Amino acid sequence: MLLARESLDAGLLFLALMNLVVPALAAWNVKRPYQLRFDDRAEWALFGLGFASSGMIAALAVPMGGSLDLVMIAFGASVFALRHFVPRLTLTGACETALAPFTFLIATLWSFALVGELGFPHWFKVLMLFGSLAGMIGLGFSMAGRFARQSLLTHREWQRPTAPLPMRSAGRLPKVSVQLACYAEPPEVVIATIDHLARLDYPNYEVMVCDNNTPDEALWRPLEAHCARLNRELGFERFRFFHVAPLAGAKAGALNWCLPRMAPDAEVIAVIDADYFAEPDFLARLVGYFDDPKFAYVQTPHDYRGYAGSPYLNACYWEYMPSNKVDMPGVSQYGAGFTIGTMCLIRTEALKRAGGWAEWCLTEDSEVSVRIRALGYHGLYLRQTFGRGLIPETFEDYKKQRFRWTAGPVQQLCRYWRLYLPRPFAAPSNLKPWCKLLEFQRSLAPLAGAVTQIMAVFTSIFLAVMTASDALPALVLPDIGWAVLLLGMASGLVRIWHRYRLTGTRRLRDMLGGELARLSLTYVAAVASFAGLSRKPLAWRRTPKFKAENAGLTALYKCLPETMVGMFHLVPAWFILVRWDGIGAHLGLVSLAMVLFSALRFFAAPVMAVLSEKHLYRINLPYAEGGLAPGSLKA
């Protein structure tokens, strides 16, 4: 054996301890986005304390230190080098960046030493080698995206704006065309949205309401009348209503229809969804960015209202927030901030040069930002909320929304992968290297996540079956192995907790609800990621705004695919329990935990469906008691 496993124990334990210490220090240091609690000297002192404590615990736990000194010196030198050459990182950010490759390297060497010690056959070691090579590629892929997405947790310097500008009420006030596309929406909801646009604290704008293909006049005539009434009150035409039918292309088609008909002097376009209530300062605090001709768009987050008091809506809300409030602002710092539709301002000239909205893509909003940046423009994503919309009231609609959001970027990858290649292999464009890398990572992430999960489950099942059939020796994990696994789990929980805290919640039930909602989307995200690879057009399914009715058992029936996949996991779980003695307690426990956690992801879907039904029962009860049908307005 080239390397004894015991010689790596202390080094691996040290890195596992640092994987817990570093996110804990980051959570202590970054309690609010863009604000650090400690200065440079204090951060170094705390890092030194954590570094020394981890080394001391590892030395005491493993008297035969072996590689401990070498690992500590190499890791410490890497942190110093990163902190020096990448000054935008906090010290904990430098630690986070160095930890992943160091932990992967030492854990891989330790695993090879362990299987050699236990007498595993050569063919298994060859499989491990291929798995390690694939893991190394996956690590580099994920690190690139995580470095940018987690910049709010790991950076101290910012190259792009992080906050809206002061209110602009004088000076240059470019004309803004606010465009609202709708189809078969409750008129009360859209009218309320229009009323909020009427209260914008900005003098130079128009509002275009484009109702496309709504067959029922009772839904769009009130919008037409309301726009006319607002214009009479103003004494001039600001609100322009259009009913267009037939019109292909769904929302993208409606927005494209507006382009040649908008005010010719409108330099900026604002896109608003039919249910979003804009804040009065939405335009006044963002148009100033367009003074710089390089800026083509400014995007603000999706945010929502009306979720308080409902466990289902609350879970959905907090599932949305980490991406909107942590990940996307981080990506924006590296020039890859993308548009997500509503609450977005776009330079008219840039949109027209890019060719308008893509009617073939399920995420026409994020797709257009790729073409705009390819022209050499810049975009910006700010984390401050300027408008709130409605959360889908049924779990089925929540899944449809996520299907669209997941399949769309995969469609973009299939269409634009040549743009993302490094020079000289890339198609001609002005996309910067970070933009290419992050767009590629974002588009491929759903596919990579689905494949990784499938491989993890099948690897656990494969090991259990081969061990039970005596093709492999029993796996016996040393105490250090168990300690590392537990520390890894604790480290993951601290990172999740910190992300939620930066979104604005400190309540454990909000975090648990958000994680339940996230897990419940595992199946639909996997299906959508593969569907996005298809060359066939995918149907654009809008999110309904009408008040939903209880579906009863039908809601659970619509979760049948997730339930069946979850039930499938119980077969290997049963096998592991039945063949426990042949598999061995150590491998049995690890494999059973892997299989059951994977099953939990799919069983989370019917749980969310039940929560949705309970929510609908509660809000529809007053209608039932009053003998009314819950049909029109969504609260």
Side-chain angles (χ1 to χ4, degrees), residues 152-180:
L152 266 69
L153 289 69
T154 59
H155 285 40
R156 66 186 305 119
E157 296 177 2
W158 312 101
Q159 296 184 342
R160 291 172 177 267
T162 60
L165 299 171
M167 285 280 292
R168 175 172 287 191
S169 56
R172 184 174 179 274
L173 299 170
K175 181 72 170 285
V176 179
S177 177
V178 181
Q179 298 178 3
L180 188 161

PDB file of all heavy atoms in Angstrom, residues 152-180:
ATOM      1  N   LEU A 152     -22.148  36.989  -1.679  1.00  0.00           N
ATOM      2  CA  LEU A 152     -22.669  37.735  -0.540  1.00  0.00           C
ATOM      3  C   LEU A 152     -22.155  37.182   0.785  1.00  0.00           C
ATOM      4  O   LEU A 152     -22.096  37.891   1.779  1.00  0.00           O
ATOM      5  CB  LEU A 152     -24.204  37.723  -0.523  1.00  0.00           C
ATOM      6  CG  LEU A 152     -24.898  38.918  -1.191  1.00  0.00           C
ATOM      7  CD1 LEU A 152     -24.698  38.880  -2.698  1.00  0.00           C
ATOM      8  CD2 LEU A 152     -26.378  38.925  -0.864  1.00  0.00           C
ATOM      9  N   LEU A 153     -21.778  35.896   0.792  1.00  0.00           N
ATOM     10  CA  LEU A 153     -21.288  35.253   1.994  1.00  0.00           C
ATOM     11  C   LEU A 153     -19.770  35.331   2.105  1.00  0.00           C
ATOM     12  O   LEU A 153     -19.226  35.176   3.210  1.00  0.00           O
ATOM     13  CB  LEU A 153     -21.692  33.777   2.029  1.00  0.00           C
ATOM     14  CG  LEU A 153     -23.147  33.405   2.271  1.00  0.00           C
ATOM     15  CD1 LEU A 153     -24.045  33.776   1.113  1.00  0.00           C
ATOM     16  CD2 LEU A 153     -23.258  31.910   2.544  1.00  0.00           C
ATOM     17  N   THR A 154     -19.081  35.565   0.997  1.00  0.00           N
ATOM     18  CA  THR A 154     -17.627  35.375   0.983  1.00  0.00           C
ATOM     19  C   THR A 154     -16.829  36.583   0.504  1.00  0.00           C
ATOM     20  O   THR A 154     -15.598  36.535   0.529  1.00  0.00           O
ATOM     21  CB  THR A 154     -17.268  34.179   0.077  1.00  0.00           C
ATOM     22  OG1 THR A 154     -17.745  34.445  -1.247  1.00  0.00           O
ATOM     23  CG2 THR A 154     -17.890  32.890   0.597  1.00  0.00           C
ATOM     24  N   HIS A 155     -17.481  37.641   0.056  1.00  0.00           N
ATOM     25  CA  HIS A 155     -16.758  38.775  -0.522  1.00  0.00           C
ATOM     26  C   HIS A 155     -16.815  39.994   0.405  1.00  0.00           C
ATOM     27  O   HIS A 155     -17.744  40.151   1.195  1.00  0.00           O
ATOM     28  CB  HIS A 155     -17.343  39.157  -1.885  1.00  0.00           C
ATOM     29  CG  HIS A 155     -16.979  38.199  -2.980  1.00  0.00           C
ATOM     30  ND1 HIS A 155     -16.937  36.838  -2.809  1.00  0.00           N
ATOM     31  CD2 HIS A 155     -16.640  38.417  -4.293  1.00  0.00           C
ATOM     32  CE1 HIS A 155     -16.594  36.253  -3.945  1.00  0.00           C
ATOM     33  NE2 HIS A 155     -16.409  37.183  -4.857  1.00  0.00           N
ATOM     34  N   ARG A 156     -15.813  40.837   0.240  1.00  0.00           N
ATOM     35  CA  ARG A 156     -15.762  42.091   0.999  1.00  0.00           C
ATOM     36  C   ARG A 156     -15.722  43.307   0.087  1.00  0.00           C
ATOM     37  O   ARG A 156     -15.947  44.440   0.536  1.00  0.00           O
ATOM     38  CB  ARG A 156     -14.553  42.092   1.939  1.00  0.00           C
ATOM     39  CG  ARG A 156     -13.214  42.098   1.224  1.00  0.00           C
ATOM     40  CD  ARG A 156     -12.030  41.941   2.189  1.00  0.00           C
ATOM     41  NE  ARG A 156     -12.048  42.942   3.220  1.00  0.00           N
ATOM     42  CZ  ARG A 156     -12.136  42.666   4.534  1.00  0.00           C
ATOM     43  NH1 ARG A 156     -12.235  41.420   4.934  1.00  0.00           N
ATOM     44  NH2 ARG A 156     -12.120  43.623   5.412  1.00  0.00           N
ATOM     45  N   GLU A 157     -15.407  43.123  -1.170  1.00  0.00           N
ATOM     46  CA  GLU A 157     -15.344  44.217  -2.132  1.00  0.00           C
ATOM     47  C   GLU A 157     -16.285  43.905  -3.290  1.00  0.00           C
ATOM     48  O   GLU A 157     -16.419  42.754  -3.702  1.00  0.00           O
ATOM     49  CB  GLU A 157     -13.911  44.405  -2.653  1.00  0.00           C
ATOM     50  CG  GLU A 157     -12.917  44.811  -1.581  1.00  0.00           C
ATOM     51  CD  GLU A 157     -11.492  44.910  -2.108  1.00  0.00           C
ATOM     52  OE1 GLU A 157     -11.319  44.690  -3.336  1.00  0.00           O
ATOM     53  OE2 GLU A 157     -10.569  45.182  -1.323  1.00  0.00           O
ATOM     54  N   TRP A 158     -16.903  44.961  -3.840  1.00  0.00           N
ATOM     55  CA  TRP A 158     -17.932  44.783  -4.868  1.00  0.00           C
ATOM     56  C   TRP A 158     -17.586  45.632  -6.074  1.00  0.00           C
ATOM     57  O   TRP A 158     -17.341  46.828  -5.966  1.00  0.00           O
ATOM     58  CB  TRP A 158     -19.305  45.162  -4.304  1.00  0.00           C
ATOM     59  CG  TRP A 158     -19.539  44.523  -2.970  1.00  0.00           C
ATOM     60  CD1 TRP A 158     -19.429  45.102  -1.744  1.00  0.00           C
ATOM     61  CD2 TRP A 158     -19.868  43.152  -2.746  1.00  0.00           C
ATOM     62  NE1 TRP A 158     -19.674  44.178  -0.757  1.00  0.00           N
ATOM     63  CE2 TRP A 158     -19.952  42.978  -1.341  1.00  0.00           C
ATOM     64  CE3 TRP A 158     -20.113  42.066  -3.579  1.00  0.00           C
ATOM     65  CZ2 TRP A 158     -20.263  41.751  -0.758  1.00  0.00           C
ATOM     66  CZ3 TRP A 158     -20.419  40.842  -3.006  1.00  0.00           C
ATOM     67  CH2 TRP A 158     -20.491  40.705  -1.619  1.00  0.00           C
ATOM     68  N   GLN A 159     -17.557  45.004  -7.234  1.00  0.00           N
ATOM     69  CA  GLN A 159     -17.177  45.700  -8.461  1.00  0.00           C
ATOM     70  C   GLN A 159     -18.361  46.340  -9.169  1.00  0.00           C
ATOM     71  O   GLN A 159     -18.179  47.166 -10.053  1.00  0.00           O
ATOM     72  CB  GLN A 159     -16.482  44.710  -9.406  1.00  0.00           C
ATOM     73  CG  GLN A 159     -15.177  44.168  -8.856  1.00  0.00           C
ATOM     74  CD  GLN A 159     -14.452  43.271  -9.844  1.00  0.00           C
ATOM     75  OE1 GLN A 159     -15.052  42.789 -10.802  1.00  0.00           O
ATOM     76  NE2 GLN A 159     -13.165  43.051  -9.622  1.00  0.00           N
ATOM     77  N   ARG A 160     -19.562  45.949  -8.797  1.00  0.00           N
ATOM     78  CA  ARG A 160     -20.765  46.492  -9.429  1.00  0.00           C
ATOM     79  C   ARG A 160     -21.690  47.063  -8.362  1.00  0.00           C
ATOM     80  O   ARG A 160     -21.585  46.708  -7.177  1.00  0.00           O
ATOM     81  CB  ARG A 160     -21.481  45.396 -10.232  1.00  0.00           C
ATOM     82  CG  ARG A 160     -20.687  44.978 -11.456  1.00  0.00           C
ATOM     83  CD  ARG A 160     -21.301  43.780 -12.139  1.00  0.00           C
ATOM     84  NE  ARG A 160     -20.539  43.446 -13.349  1.00  0.00           N
ATOM     85  CZ  ARG A 160     -20.818  43.883 -14.563  1.00  0.00           C
ATOM     86  NH1 ARG A 160     -21.871  44.665 -14.750  1.00  0.00           N
ATOM     87  NH2 ARG A 160     -20.064  43.555 -15.596  1.00  0.00           N
ATOM     88  N   PRO A 161     -22.616  47.928  -8.759  1.00  0.00           N
ATOM     89  CA  PRO A 161     -23.523  48.522  -7.762  1.00  0.00           C
ATOM     90  C   PRO A 161     -24.299  47.457  -6.996  1.00  0.00           C
ATOM     91  O   PRO A 161     -24.654  46.409  -7.538  1.00  0.00           O
ATOM     92  CB  PRO A 161     -24.457  49.377  -8.622  1.00  0.00           C
ATOM     93  CG  PRO A 161     -23.696  49.660  -9.877  1.00  0.00           C
ATOM     94  CD  PRO A 161     -22.846  48.460 -10.113  1.00  0.00           C
ATOM     95  N   THR A 162     -24.551  47.741  -5.724  1.00  0.00           N
ATOM     96  CA  THR A 162     -25.274  46.796  -4.872  1.00  0.00           C
ATOM     97  C   THR A 162     -26.592  47.363  -4.354  1.00  0.00           C
ATOM     98  O   THR A 162     -27.312  46.651  -3.651  1.00  0.00           O
ATOM     99  CB  THR A 162     -24.404  46.409  -3.660  1.00  0.00           C
ATOM    100  OG1 THR A 162     -24.101  47.594  -2.907  1.00  0.00           O
ATOM    101  CG2 THR A 162     -23.111  45.752  -4.098  1.00  0.00           C
ATOM    102  N   ALA A 163     -26.902  48.597  -4.688  1.00  0.00           N
ATOM    103  CA  ALA A 163     -28.120  49.215  -4.158  1.00  0.00           C
ATOM    104  C   ALA A 163     -28.720  50.150  -5.198  1.00  0.00           C
ATOM    105  O   ALA A 163     -28.007  50.654  -6.083  1.00  0.00           O
ATOM    106  CB  ALA A 163     -27.810  49.989  -2.876  1.00  0.00           C
ATOM    107  N   PRO A 164     -30.023  50.398  -5.130  1.00  0.00           N
ATOM    108  CA  PRO A 164     -30.650  51.364  -6.042  1.00  0.00           C
ATOM    109  C   PRO A 164     -30.089  52.763  -5.838  1.00  0.00           C
ATOM    110  O   PRO A 164     -29.478  53.078  -4.806  1.00  0.00           O
ATOM    111  CB  PRO A 164     -32.130  51.295  -5.666  1.00  0.00           C
ATOM    112  CG  PRO A 164     -32.296  50.046  -4.875  1.00  0.00           C
ATOM    113  CD  PRO A 164     -30.990  49.791  -4.199  1.00  0.00           C
ATOM    114  N   LEU A 165     -30.301  53.605  -6.822  1.00  0.00           N
ATOM    115  CA  LEU A 165     -29.855  54.995  -6.748  1.00  0.00           C
ATOM    116  C   LEU A 165     -30.857  55.827  -5.946  1.00  0.00           C
ATOM    117  O   LEU A 165     -31.990  55.399  -5.703  1.00  0.00           O
ATOM    118  CB  LEU A 165     -29.737  55.560  -8.166  1.00  0.00           C
ATOM    119  CG  LEU A 165     -28.728  54.849  -9.073  1.00  0.00           C
ATOM    120  CD1 LEU A 165     -28.874  55.351 -10.506  1.00  0.00           C
ATOM    121  CD2 LEU A 165     -27.307  55.058  -8.569  1.00  0.00           C
ATOM    122  N   PRO A 166     -30.463  57.019  -5.528  1.00  0.00           N
ATOM    123  CA  PRO A 166     -31.434  57.910  -4.872  1.00  0.00           C
ATOM    124  C   PRO A 166     -32.582  58.258  -5.830  1.00  0.00           C
ATOM    125  O   PRO A 166     -32.453  58.158  -7.052  1.00  0.00           O
ATOM    126  CB  PRO A 166     -30.594  59.153  -4.535  1.00  0.00           C
ATOM    127  CG  PRO A 166     -29.176  58.679  -4.548  1.00  0.00           C
ATOM    128  CD  PRO A 166     -29.111  57.583  -5.564  1.00  0.00           C
ATOM    129  N   MET A 167     -33.681  58.659  -5.249  1.00  0.00           N
ATOM    130  CA  MET A 167     -34.846  59.051  -6.053  1.00  0.00           C
ATOM    131  C   MET A 167     -34.461  60.128  -7.065  1.00  0.00           C
ATOM    132  O   MET A 167     -33.753  61.079  -6.731  1.00  0.00           O
ATOM    133  CB  MET A 167     -35.946  59.584  -5.142  1.00  0.00           C
ATOM    134  CG  MET A 167     -36.682  58.526  -4.360  1.00  0.00           C
ATOM    135  SD  MET A 167     -37.928  57.679  -5.343  1.00  0.00           S
ATOM    136  CE  MET A 167     -39.115  58.977  -5.593  1.00  0.00           C
ATOM    137  N   ARG A 168     -34.927  59.963  -8.299  1.00  0.00           N
ATOM    138  CA  ARG A 168     -34.660  60.967  -9.330  1.00  0.00           C
ATOM    139  C   ARG A 168     -35.981  61.633  -9.695  1.00  0.00           C
ATOM    140  O   ARG A 168     -36.889  60.985 -10.229  1.00  0.00           O
ATOM    141  CB  ARG A 168     -34.037  60.334 -10.568  1.00  0.00           C
ATOM    142  CG  ARG A 168     -33.863  61.314 -11.717  1.00  0.00           C
ATOM    143  CD  ARG A 168     -33.083  60.730 -12.867  1.00  0.00           C
ATOM    144  NE  ARG A 168     -31.670  60.600 -12.558  1.00  0.00           N
ATOM    145  CZ  ARG A 168     -30.735  60.315 -13.469  1.00  0.00           C
ATOM    146  NH1 ARG A 168     -31.066  60.138 -14.741  1.00  0.00           N
ATOM    147  NH2 ARG A 168     -29.481  60.206 -13.115  1.00  0.00           N
ATOM    148  N   SER A 169     -36.094  62.903  -9.385  1.00  0.00           N
ATOM    149  CA  SER A 169     -37.316  63.642  -9.700  1.00  0.00           C
ATOM    150  C   SER A 169     -37.048  64.843 -10.589  1.00  0.00           C
ATOM    151  O   SER A 169     -37.970  65.547 -10.987  1.00  0.00           O
ATOM    152  CB  SER A 169     -37.984  64.124  -8.404  1.00  0.00           C
ATOM    153  OG  SER A 169     -37.075  64.900  -7.640  1.00  0.00           O
ATOM    154  N   ALA A 170     -35.764  65.061 -10.890  1.00  0.00           N
ATOM    155  CA  ALA A 170     -35.404  66.183 -11.768  1.00  0.00           C
ATOM    156  C   ALA A 170     -34.215  65.755 -12.614  1.00  0.00           C
ATOM    157  O   ALA A 170     -33.672  64.670 -12.443  1.00  0.00           O
ATOM    158  CB  ALA A 170     -35.065  67.421 -10.934  1.00  0.00           C
ATOM    159  N   GLY A 171     -33.791  66.635 -13.516  1.00  0.00           N
ATOM    160  CA  GLY A 171     -32.698  66.298 -14.407  1.00  0.00           C
ATOM    161  C   GLY A 171     -33.184  65.425 -15.545  1.00  0.00           C
ATOM    162  O   GLY A 171     -34.333  65.518 -15.984  1.00  0.00           O
ATOM    163  N   ARG A 172     -32.321  64.530 -16.008  1.00  0.00           N
ATOM    164  CA  ARG A 172     -32.681  63.681 -17.136  1.00  0.00           C
ATOM    165  C   ARG A 172     -33.656  62.593 -16.679  1.00  0.00           C
ATOM    166  O   ARG A 172     -33.343  61.777 -15.822  1.00  0.00           O
ATOM    167  CB  ARG A 172     -31.425  63.038 -17.730  1.00  0.00           C
ATOM    168  CG  ARG A 172     -31.717  62.213 -18.979  1.00  0.00           C
ATOM    169  CD  ARG A 172     -30.431  61.703 -19.618  1.00  0.00           C
ATOM    170  NE  ARG A 172     -30.742  60.897 -20.802  1.00  0.00           N
ATOM    171  CZ  ARG A 172     -31.034  59.594 -20.774  1.00  0.00           C
ATOM    172  NH1 ARG A 172     -31.044  58.956 -19.612  1.00  0.00           N
ATOM    173  NH2 ARG A 172     -31.303  58.936 -21.890  1.00  0.00           N
ATOM    174  N   LEU A 173     -34.855  62.598 -17.269  1.00  0.00           N
ATOM    175  CA  LEU A 173     -35.895  61.630 -16.927  1.00  0.00           C
ATOM    176  C   LEU A 173     -36.352  60.939 -18.210  1.00  0.00           C
ATOM    177  O   LEU A 173     -37.299  61.368 -18.866  1.00  0.00           O
ATOM    178  CB  LEU A 173     -37.079  62.331 -16.250  1.00  0.00           C
ATOM    179  CG  LEU A 173     -36.767  63.048 -14.927  1.00  0.00           C
ATOM    180  CD1 LEU A 173     -37.948  63.906 -14.498  1.00  0.00           C
ATOM    181  CD2 LEU A 173     -36.422  62.023 -13.855  1.00  0.00           C
ATOM    182  N   PRO A 174     -35.655  59.873 -18.600  1.00  0.00           N
ATOM    183  CA  PRO A 174     -35.986  59.230 -19.879  1.00  0.00           C
ATOM    184  C   PRO A 174     -37.399  58.649 -19.864  1.00  0.00           C
ATOM    185  O   PRO A 174     -37.900  58.195 -18.844  1.00  0.00           O
ATOM    186  CB  PRO A 174     -34.937  58.121 -20.002  1.00  0.00           C
ATOM    187  CG  PRO A 174     -34.493  57.862 -18.596  1.00  0.00           C
ATOM    188  CD  PRO A 174     -34.568  59.178 -17.896  1.00  0.00           C
ATOM    189  N   LYS A 175     -38.032  58.673 -21.023  1.00  0.00           N
ATOM    190  CA  LYS A 175     -39.374  58.116 -21.153  1.00  0.00           C
ATOM    191  C   LYS A 175     -39.306  56.599 -20.962  1.00  0.00           C
ATOM    192  O   LYS A 175     -38.458  55.924 -21.536  1.00  0.00           O
ATOM    193  CB  LYS A 175     -39.934  58.448 -22.533  1.00  0.00           C
ATOM    194  CG  LYS A 175     -41.349  57.935 -22.808  1.00  0.00           C
ATOM    195  CD  LYS A 175     -42.387  58.729 -22.014  1.00  0.00           C
ATOM    196  CE  LYS A 175     -43.803  58.421 -22.441  1.00  0.00           C
ATOM    197  NZ  LYS A 175     -44.157  59.051 -23.728  1.00  0.00           N
ATOM    198  N   VAL A 176     -40.236  56.071 -20.145  1.00  0.00           N
ATOM    199  CA  VAL A 176     -40.312  54.631 -19.871  1.00  0.00           C
ATOM    200  C   VAL A 176     -41.646  54.103 -20.377  1.00  0.00           C
ATOM    201  O   VAL A 176     -42.699  54.680 -20.093  1.00  0.00           O
ATOM    202  CB  VAL A 176     -40.165  54.326 -18.370  1.00  0.00           C
ATOM    203  CG1 VAL A 176     -40.265  52.826 -18.116  1.00  0.00           C
ATOM    204  CG2 VAL A 176     -38.847  54.870 -17.828  1.00  0.00           C
ATOM    205  N   SER A 177     -41.597  53.017 -21.117  1.00  0.00           N
ATOM    206  CA  SER A 177     -42.808  52.331 -21.552  1.00  0.00           C
ATOM    207  C   SER A 177     -43.002  51.108 -20.662  1.00  0.00           C
ATOM    208  O   SER A 177     -42.248  50.132 -20.759  1.00  0.00           O
ATOM    209  CB  SER A 177     -42.703  51.907 -23.018  1.00  0.00           C
ATOM    210  OG  SER A 177     -43.860  51.188 -23.413  1.00  0.00           O
ATOM    211  N   VAL A 178     -43.981  51.188 -19.766  1.00  0.00           N
ATOM    212  CA  VAL A 178     -44.281  50.068 -18.868  1.00  0.00           C
ATOM    213  C   VAL A 178     -45.220  49.130 -19.608  1.00  0.00           C
ATOM    214  O   VAL A 178     -46.311  49.536 -20.030  1.00  0.00           O
ATOM    215  CB  VAL A 178     -44.928  50.560 -17.558  1.00  0.00           C
ATOM    216  CG1 VAL A 178     -45.198  49.377 -16.632  1.00  0.00           C
ATOM    217  CG2 VAL A 178     -44.040  51.600 -16.880  1.00  0.00           C
ATOM    218  N   GLN A 179     -44.812  47.881 -19.770  1.00  0.00           N
ATOM    219  CA  GLN A 179     -45.570  46.932 -20.583  1.00  0.00           C
ATOM    220  C   GLN A 179     -46.070  45.773 -19.733  1.00  0.00           C
ATOM    221  O   GLN A 179     -45.282  45.079 -19.078  1.00  0.00           O
ATOM    222  CB  GLN A 179     -44.717  46.450 -21.750  1.00  0.00           C
ATOM    223  CG  GLN A 179     -44.323  47.604 -22.666  1.00  0.00           C
ATOM    224  CD  GLN A 179     -43.441  47.198 -23.816  1.00  0.00           C
ATOM    225  OE1 GLN A 179     -43.130  46.031 -24.023  1.00  0.00           O
ATOM    226  NE2 GLN A 179     -43.015  48.194 -24.617  1.00  0.00           N
ATOM    227  N   LEU A 180     -47.380  45.585 -19.760  1.00  0.00           N
ATOM    228  CA  LEU A 180     -48.056  44.568 -18.969  1.00  0.00           C
ATOM    229  C   LEU A 180     -48.824  43.651 -19.918  1.00  0.00           C
ATOM    230  O   LEU A 180     -49.785  44.077 -20.552  1.00  0.00           O
ATOM    231  CB  LEU A 180     -49.000  45.236 -17.962  1.00  0.00           C
ATOM    232  CG  LEU A 180     -49.695  44.400 -16.890  1.00  0.00           C
ATOM    233  CD1 LEU A 180     -50.187  45.298 -15.761  1.00  0.00           C
ATOM    234  CD2 LEU A 180     -50.883  43.608 -17.442  1.00  0.00           C
TER     235      LEU A 180
END
